Amino acid sequence: MPRTRAATPSTRKILPLAKVYALLEPGPVVLLTTADQPHANIMTLSWQTMLEFEPPQIACVVSNGNHSFQQLQASGECVINIPTADLAEQVVGCGNCSGAKVDKFARFGLTAIPAAQVAAPLIKECYANLECRVIDTRLVSDYCLFILQVVNAWIDPSVQQPQTLHHCGNGEFMLAGERIKLKSKMK
């Protein structure tokens, strides 16, 4: 049965479908590191979401046009590095060039440190680092969607209230804001 078009409220404006992602931005912008020995790469990523809590599982979209796609597919490992606002320029810079042509660690003054369980490095300057292994590739060919399991996690205890970056599109970002605490049955 065909749908009838509802009247558009006069206080609403049509949003182009290409901008919907900015409304549903799934989490902080992260720096995904991969390794193709001896070369490590950094990719700016903002399309990831939690799937499971224990063990932690994450879904992320890595475009097959990115250098990191081939490295992630070949190695089956990566590190999700979570930067704070003080790294905004490096985050954008890493997203605006290809690791196939540029050593992003050198260009953006970031420090690679060895991970404990995967070959991809941690980024020292990031607030948190999640060592991951690919556990499911069934949606990679259709959607470039990798399912990862976190196998080790690190956090910088000196960062008390991290301001993470959230992508809004067209070079605009929000910073994670004020925290509030409400009653919850979740631990």
Side-chain angles (χ1 to χ4, degrees), residues 73-143:
Q73 198 168 42
S75 70
E77 304 179 329
C78 65
V79 177
I80 293 176
N81 301 276
I82 305 172
T84 51
D86 59 317
L87 293 175
E89 294 294 327
Q90 291 95 324
V91 168
V92 172
C94 286
N96 287 329
C97 63
S98 172
K101 300 175 183 172
V102 173
D103 176 347
K104 295 183 188 184
F105 283 96
R107 177 173 282 182
F108 299 106
L110 298 170
T111 310
I113 56 176
Q117 295 191 35
V118 300
L122 311 180
I123 298 176
K124 180 181 179 182
E125 292 79 8
C126 286
Y127 152 70
N129 317 89
L130 310 175
E131 297 180 38
C132 300
R133 288 202 177 97
V134 175
I135 60 168
D136 191 333
T137 59
R138 288 177 286 182
L139 299 174
V140 170
S141 62
D142 289 338
Y143 303 105

Side-chain angles (χ1 to χ4, degrees), residues 10-125:
S10 61
T11 59
R12 296 288 181 171
K13 177 183 170 189
I14 291 176
L15 179 69
L17 295 179
K19 296 189 176 198
V20 167
Y21 73 91
L23 299 174
L24 298 174
E25 179 271 323
V29 176
V30 300
L31 295 171
L32 181 94
T33 52
T34 52
D36 178 12
Q37 300 304 337
H39 304 289
N41 189 43
I42 304 171
M43 176 193 149
T44 302
L45 175 69
S46 61
W47 295 105
Q48 74 284 333
T49 190
M50 289 297 300
L51 294 179
E52 187 57 71
F53 298 103
E54 286 188 44
Q57 294 176 356
I58 300 168
C60 69
V61 174
V62 178
S63 171
N64 59 11
N66 289 340
H67 181 60
S68 293
F69 179 89
Q70 286 79 24
Q71 287 186 321
L72 182 57
Q73 198 168 42
S75 70
E77 304 179 329
C78 65
V79 177
I80 293 176
N81 301 276
I82 305 172
T84 51
D86 59 317
L87 293 175
E89 294 294 327
Q90 291 95 324
V91 168
V92 172
C94 286
N96 287 329
C97 63
S98 172
K101 300 175 183 172
V102 173
D103 176 347
K104 295 183 188 184
F105 283 96
R107 177 173 282 182
F108 299 106
L110 298 170
T111 310
I113 56 176
Q117 295 191 35
V118 300
L122 311 180
I123 298 176
K124 180 181 179 182
E125 292 79 8

